[in-house]
Amino acid sequence: MMGPGWYLRRLSRMGPAEVVGRARHAVVQRQWRSALPEPPAWPSHPRFTAPLPDGVLGKVSGEAVTRLLATADGLMAGRAEYFGVLREDMADPDWALDPKTGRRAPLDVYAFDVPYRSEDTVGDIKQIWEPSRHQHLTVLAAAYALTGTEAYAERVAAHLRSWWAANPPLQGPHWVSGIELGIRLLSWVWVRRLLDGWAGVKALFEDNPGFHLQLWHHQNWLATLRSHGSSANNHVIAEDAGLLAAACAFGWFPESARWRAEATRSLDVQLGRNTFDSGLNAELASEYHGLVLELGLAAALEADAAGIPVPDTTWDVLLRMTDALASIVDNRFRPPRQGDADDGFGLIVDGSETSRWGSLLATGEALFGRLDWWPVPGDDVRTPLLAALALRTPRVTGARPGRRPAHLRDAGMTILRSGKVWARCDGGPHGFLSIAAHAHADALSVEVRHDGVDVLADPGTFCYHGEPQWRSYFRSTLGHNTLELGGSDQSVSGGPFLWTRHAVTKVLGVHTPDDGPSRWSAAHDGYAPAVHRRTVELDGAVLKIVDEVLGDTGPAARLAFHLGPAVTATLEGNVAHLSWAGDGRTLAPVHTAELELPPELSWTAHRGELDPPLGWYSPGFGRKEPSTTLVGSGTPGHLTTLLRFS
């Protein structure tokens, strides 16, 4: 649980309007505790009016169907993995259970009294929330739609009825967070669509008063308690997307027209606020770029299918986000590993082996057209289904880049490329809004890959709640490929989703020609009066990094380089000999590189250390594995690092 100090620090990052808004929300929550809001009379003859057009399912490739069915059949056998924890009870899940700790969250407690941040009380809340996003049900429903096998549909219906019975309105942990309600609504829309040919679908949805009650309360919650102020990040996008999609597909209530209008307007405004002009998500957390793009596309297409006009500015943002994604992925369709990542998806109708990022670009190609410099995406289930909802080609007014952007100035992200070498340089803002919730203290960090394999890696995120030591490590300055001074982070943390002081970074120069050497230089003030300046040059197969500390050079420095988990390193003095397999998974070393480290520092290698944590890589939320971290300690000055690929 958060102590009084955290609440004071959090309050200090709010403006007056946010304080007033949160007070209003608190009043509403107290009112709901004593008397649930009253839904209107049930709709007399509800109809689902947004099925998939005829023939769309036949456009899904056989490979995409095979990947989907492999995942669906695992779910039918009761198996699913959430954040590194395998559940084998998914045939009949306990919706309150955290399998990681064995704890159960209370389902009979008023939602806003559930201490969901306390792992000691409820367990890991993300382990509890994730299955209740019902994205495993959209996978099963897609399997039914593509095969006609009724067992998939029957399992979906059993889970929905079980969930609705266990989670009455405003009771338990699943009614605490708006992002969960929004994503769940989007899942319900797609479950209904994908089960359209099943004989029991109307009894499950249109003719089911229990569903009507859940549906109305979900939408009323989102319309009343929308995130705002310093919390208006990806959460508000999910809230608006879920409300808009449900009010379009299930427009059965007197409030439906108002909900559609409010959600359409808010989604347009919040997408604009959450997105740089370059198209990158303003949270500067790559996975949240994917989440927001998925949510925005699904909501806008749902509105289009219902004949609800979405502003052209909404489509402009979604186009810019898609082009930006195409510009930053490596040659294996992997985006940067910048900032927080919690494996959150907006809409899942594909097998787990389908590339999320290739799927998003495939959808972008179907809706907006692929530019010449785009990578060529693969196939998936989701793209033909989403694209079929578009009644017209989205109208976009902005100019699209004629060549692949290498420097996205407003986001401070620069991608240097040479053959199979891909390097990200971080010179952007610390984070989004006053709390910068999903930021890491990673100013001037670099991330380097060879043919999609992490060589100099961003270690990732691992966790949010419950393990503060690990949360601190994975978002620390020492936990990134940059320079630490005086044993402190560049920016000051006030809690697991709160930064009270933000380092300010300025890009000093960028040179990214189509051919020949490329160069990037930037500096930040996080250690004022000292200034850390870094220059990165990529010339063919050689990457050069120069670090300088200007001004106060008194504090001791630590320069860290985190190697990817596939990389084996032998450190000899100030030279590390690196090797890794071509696909990043097998043991045979087929690629090598030499990392020549600054001789002015004393170098040590660390792997899988616990006290304090050092030498770890998180391949996904809730998962970590040992990897090698090279740390140089000493007096800062003019430090040169050379990475030579064989």
Side-chain angles (χ1 to χ4, degrees):
M1 293 295 288
M2 304 301 184
W6 180 86
Y7 285 101
L8 288 174
R9 292 190 296 272
R10 185 67 179 85
L11 182 64
S12 72
R13 310 305 293 177
M14 300 180 194
E18 182 176 358
V19 172
V20 171
R22 286 180 179 270
R24 183 182 66 80
H25 283 190
V27 169
V28 170
Q29 290 167 11
R30 282 198 300 271
Q31 292 173 341
W32 286 357
R33 178 188 285 108
S34 58
L36 287 182
E38 188 68 28
W42 302 128
S44 55
H45 299 289
R47 292 189 306 118
F48 182 74
T49 57
L52 289 170
D54 292 339
V56 169
L57 294 170
K59 297 179 180 179
V60 179
S61 75
E63 290 185 5
V65 172
T66 298
R67 292 192 299 266
L68 169 69
L69 294 182
T71 300
D73 290 343
L75 290 168
M76 291 296 290
R79 297 188 305 272
E81 182 179 314
Y82 295 106
F83 311 130
V85 178
L86 178 64
R87 292 188 65 153
E88 296 187 285
D89 66 337
M90 290 301 291
D92 183 18
D94 181 343
W95 303 108
L97 175 68
D98 165 24
K100 188 175 78 173
T101 64
R103 297 187 180 96
R104 296 184 75 258
L107 293 178
D108 57 352
V109 172
Y110 178 59
F112 299 106
D113 291 339
V114 176
Y116 68 94
R117 292 191 179 98
S118 173
E119 189 166 300
D120 290 339
T121 304
V122 304
D124 184 339
I125 192 61
K126 284 188 66 63
Q127 288 285 349
I128 295 169
W129 277 345
E130 195 70 15
S132 289
R133 290 185 171 188
H134 291 169
Q135 292 174 325
H136 69 293
L137 300 185
T138 53
V139 169
L140 291 174
Y144 165 76
L146 288 162
T147 66
T149 302
E150 294 198 352
Y152 295 124
E154 290 164 354
R155 177 64 58 82
V156 171
H159 279 208
L160 286 176
R161 293 186 189 278
S162 166
W163 195 93
W164 293 333
N167 296 277
L170 298 174
Q171 294 293 305
H174 299 302
W175 291 88
V176 176
S177 176
I179 188 173
E180 305 304 316
L181 277 73
I183 292 176
R184 193 154 53 238
L185 280 178
L186 189 58
S187 295
W188 291 352
V189 168
W190 275 88
V191 165
R192 173 60 186 86
R193 173 172 291 123
L194 292 165
L195 295 186
D196 193 57
W198 180 51
V201 70
K202 290 185 178 179
L204 184 62
F205 288 99
E206 288 94 312
D207 300 336
N208 184 358
F211 170 65
H212 298 171
L213 182 68
Q214 290 275 348
L215 178 63
W216 185 88
H217 275 286
H218 271 71
Q219 292 178 95
N220 183 68
W221 194 113
L222 294 174
T224 307
L225 300 178
R226 180 179 282 112
S227 296
H228 59 283
S230 57
S231 294
N233 51 16
N234 62 86
H235 283 238
V236 74
I237 303 295
E239 293 161 6
D240 288 336
L243 181 59
L244 176 56
C248 289
F250 304 124
W252 302 339
F253 303 105
E255 302 93 339
S256 294
R258 173 171 59 84
W259 288 338
R260 284 194 297 268
E262 291 176 355
T264 300
R265 183 167 54 251
S266 179
L267 181 66
D268 182 61
V269 170
Q270 297 300 337
L271 276 174
R273 290 176 178 171
N274 275 260
T275 308
F276 288 116
D277 288 345
S278 63
L280 279 187
N281 180 256
E283 292 196 78
L284 294 171
S286 303
E287 279 209 4
Y288 285 104
H289 182 101
L291 173 64
V292 168
L293 181 54
E294 286 170 349
L295 291 166
L297 287 170
L301 288 165
E302 200 68 52
D304 203 56
I308 306 299
V310 172
D312 291 350
T313 46
T314 296
W315 289 115
D316 280 339
V317 171
L318 297 173
L319 169 62
R320 284 190 280 118
M321 291 186 72
T322 306
D323 280 340
L325 177 62
S327 74
I328 63 175
V329 294
D330 65 20
N331 62 323
R332 300 292 183 181
F333 286 100
R334 294 181 62 212
R337 284 168 52 89
Q338 183 180 24
D340 273 347
D342 70 352
D343 298 356
F345 284 75
L347 174 66
I348 304 177
V349 291
D350 273 280
S352 59
E353 293 301 311
T354 296
S355 166
R356 172 191 197 167
W357 310 101
S359 173
L360 275 169
L361 292 178
T363 302
E365 179 179 17
L367 294 175
F368 307 119
R370 187 175 70 85
L371 297 174
D372 291 340
W373 54 263
W374 270 33
V376 179
D379 57 354
D380 64 336
V381 175
R382 187 173 61 185
T383 289
L385 307 189
L386 273 176
L389 299 183
L391 298 181
R392 58 179 174 81
T393 301
R395 292 190 297 270
V396 290
T397 58
R400 301 178 70 182
R403 62 185 291 264
R404 189 175 205 163
H407 177 52
L408 291 84
R409 183 181 304 276
D410 45 13
M413 183 183 291
T414 304
I415 307 294
L416 308 181
R417 301 174 190 268
S418 177
K420 294 182 178 181
V421 180
W422 172 101
R424 171 180 67 88
C425 304
D426 183 354
H430 174 63
F432 183 51
L433 301 175
S434 61
I435 63 173
H438 291 297
H440 291 186
D442 57 356
L444 307 193
S445 65
V446 296
E447 184 182 1
V448 183
R449 300 176 189 157
H450 182 275
D451 198 19
V453 175
D454 292 313
V455 179
L456 299 183
D458 185 303
T461 299
F462 177 56
C463 67
Y464 283 166
H465 298 293
E467 300 178 84
Q469 185 182 32
W470 290 104
R471 176 65 170 152
S472 296
Y473 170 69
F474 274 100
R475 64 181 197 150
S476 69
T477 298
L478 184 63
H480 293 83
N481 298 318
T482 187
L483 186 75
E484 177 203 77
L485 287 182
S488 300
D489 289 337
Q490 310 150 338
S491 296
V492 177
S493 171
F497 295 100
L498 172 64
W499 295 89
T500 56
R501 183 176 63 77
H502 304 179
V504 176
T505 304
K506 181 179 181 180
V507 175
L508 305 174
V510 176
H511 179 63
T512 55
D514 290 334
D515 297 301
S518 53
R519 185 175 186 272
W520 167 90
S521 180
H524 77 82
D525 69 352
Y527 297 118
V531 173
H532 175 206
R533 183 170 68 190
R534 169 171 276 186
T535 300
V536 179
E537 296 179 352
L538 179 60
D539 186 359
V542 179
L543 185 83
K544 179 180 179 180
I545 303 171
V546 177
D547 290 294
E548 301 170 273
V549 176
L550 310 176
D552 182 5
T553 59
R558 287 195 292 181
L559 179 61
F561 289 109
H562 300 264
L563 307 181
V567 177
T568 299
T570 301
L571 180 62
E572 297 179 353
N574 70 306
V575 177
H577 304 280
L578 314 181
S579 60
W580 65 94
D583 61 4
R585 292 185 294 273
T586 58
L587 296 178
V590 296
H591 292 294
T592 61
E594 183 178 270
L595 184 60
E596 183 180 328
L597 302 159
E600 296 86 354
L601 302 179
S602 176
W603 289 91
T604 53
H606 307 264
R607 184 177 179 86
E609 297 175 7
L610 297 173
D611 190 19
L614 189 60
W616 294 91
Y617 177 94
S618 175
F621 195 84
R623 293 174 287 156
K624 66 181 187 297
E625 59 186 276
S627 62
T628 300
T629 296
L630 305 173
V631 178
S633 304
T635 302
H638 188 98
L639 308 172
T640 300
T641 303
L642 290 172
L643 176 60
R644 299 184 181 91
F645 292 95
S646 299

